[in-house]
Amino acid sequence: MQGNKGHITDTGIVGLSLAALVAVWAGAAWLMADPTVLPTPLTVVQIMWDQTLSGTLPYHLAATLSRVLGAFFLAMAIGTVLGITLGLSPRLNRWANPWVVVFLNVPALVVIVLCYLWLGLNELAALVAVSVNKTAMVVVMLREGTQNLNRPIGEMAQVFRMRRLTVLRHVILPQLAPYISASARNGLAVIWKIVLVVEFLGRGNGVGFQIHMYFQLFETGYVMAYSLSFVTVMLVIEYAILVPFDGRTRRPLPAKTGTAQA
């Protein structure tokens, strides 16, 4: 019951916090008194509703979401493998670390432009550009997590001559779960922003494409409507999937019955 009450309380806090943000927005729009500069929340919601009924918003939202999820899973898969590998091999890490630093500090805009120049204005270039920008961040986080693994547990696995896949599944990955969770939460926040830039510069659909079009038309309300629509999707993913997963990864392991009785 206490867990349910705590969950309800947390949900209430999130709702009140978002309501306060909307109230600040409404107050600023009222003080501005110029809907062409800062439209009211009601105006933006009305635009979102009209665009949804016409089918335009769902179409572009789905295009952006597919790019975000594709780049996210690709970056997480590659970054996790590389991060664990570098964390387990100090020698390889010394050689690869300059590469990681370079990719970590190359501006996202440069990577996007180069991918478009090298691969063309297509979906492959967009996916590669977003994935490259995120992979280095995943590598750093997973490498740090691997370097902080519980060494006695690893030594015990060696004593019992456990297979590598078994060690990875039952020894390494459970300890890395918090780092994977943090990478995922940070990754989604970064990736969808990069995807919008990718669409802004060189795609023919998506939320970023729509923002670019309405920016050229000086339609602030439509720009905010499309931005808010994807922020809403990210909030749903955050609180419906990532927060519960993060809570499970940080939950302490239950004590063994024999230990408790002792």
Side-chain angles (χ1 to χ4, degrees):
M1 293 296 292
Q2 291 179 353
N4 292 336
K5 290 181 179 179
H7 178 69
I8 294 173
T9 301
D10 291 343
T11 303
I13 291 174
V14 171
L16 290 174
S17 177
L18 293 176
L21 180 60
V22 173
V24 171
W25 173 10
W30 179 75
L31 291 174
M32 185 74 64
D34 187 353
T36 61
V37 177
L38 183 61
T40 65
L42 185 61
T43 301
V44 174
V45 170
Q46 184 62 52
I47 294 173
M48 291 172 63
W49 179 250
D50 293 339
Q51 292 287 297
T52 300
L53 291 179
S54 68
T56 305
L57 179 59
Y59 167 73
H60 291 286
L61 201 60
T64 298
L65 188 59
S66 65
R67 293 184 183 112
V68 168
L69 294 179
F72 170 76
F73 286 115
L74 184 60
M76 288 296 298
I78 297 175
T80 299
V81 172
L82 291 178
I84 294 176
T85 302
L86 296 183
L88 293 175
S89 175
R91 185 180 215 177
L92 181 60
N93 181 52
R94 285 195 296 270
W95 282 96
N97 187 61
W99 290 42
V100 176
V101 174
V102 168
F103 281 99
L104 199 61
N105 288 280
V106 173
L109 182 61
V110 173
V111 176
I112 294 169
V113 171
L114 288 177
C115 285
Y116 276 150
L117 289 174
W118 291 337
L119 302 177
L121 297 175
N122 51 52
E123 287 296 324
L124 177 61
L127 187 63
V128 170
V130 180
S131 301
V132 168
N133 278 288
K134 175 56 187 171
T135 299
M137 299 171 63
V138 179
V139 170
V140 170
M141 295 192 71
L142 269 296
R143 181 183 61 184
E144 296 299 319
T146 304
Q147 290 174 344
N148 291 318
L149 290 175
N150 190 312
R151 298 302 177 188
I153 296 179
E155 293 171 356
M156 181 185 67
Q158 290 181 351
V159 170
F160 284 97
R161 297 182 179 179
M162 297 175 64
R163 292 181 300 175
R164 290 186 178 181
L165 288 179
T166 304
V167 173
L168 178 66
R169 180 179 177 184
H170 296 287
V171 178
I172 296 177
L173 289 182
Q175 296 183 69
L176 292 179
Y179 296 92
I180 295 174
S181 176
S183 297
R185 296 179 70 178
N186 175 267
L188 275 179
V190 172
I191 282 176
W192 87 264
K193 296 180 180 69
I194 299 175
V195 166
L196 292 192
V197 177
V198 168
E199 294 174 343
F200 193 97
L201 293 176
R203 301 310 302 133
N205 57 14
V207 173
F209 170 78
Q210 289 294 94
I211 290 175
H212 185 201
M213 182 179 70
Y214 287 115
F215 164 73
Q216 293 177 321
L217 298 174
F218 297 98
E219 291 284 358
T220 307
Y222 282 85
V223 170
M224 295 185 68
Y226 275 91
S227 301
L228 184 61
S229 66
F230 206 78
V231 169
T232 302
V233 172
M234 289 296 101
L235 284 173
V236 172
I237 294 175
E238 169 75 12
Y239 288 102
I241 300 176
L242 296 181
V243 170
F245 176 74
D246 186 60
R248 286 194 295 271
T249 61
R250 298 180 185 277
R251 186 181 303 165
L253 295 174
K256 294 183 179 180
T257 306
T259 306
Q261 291 176 350

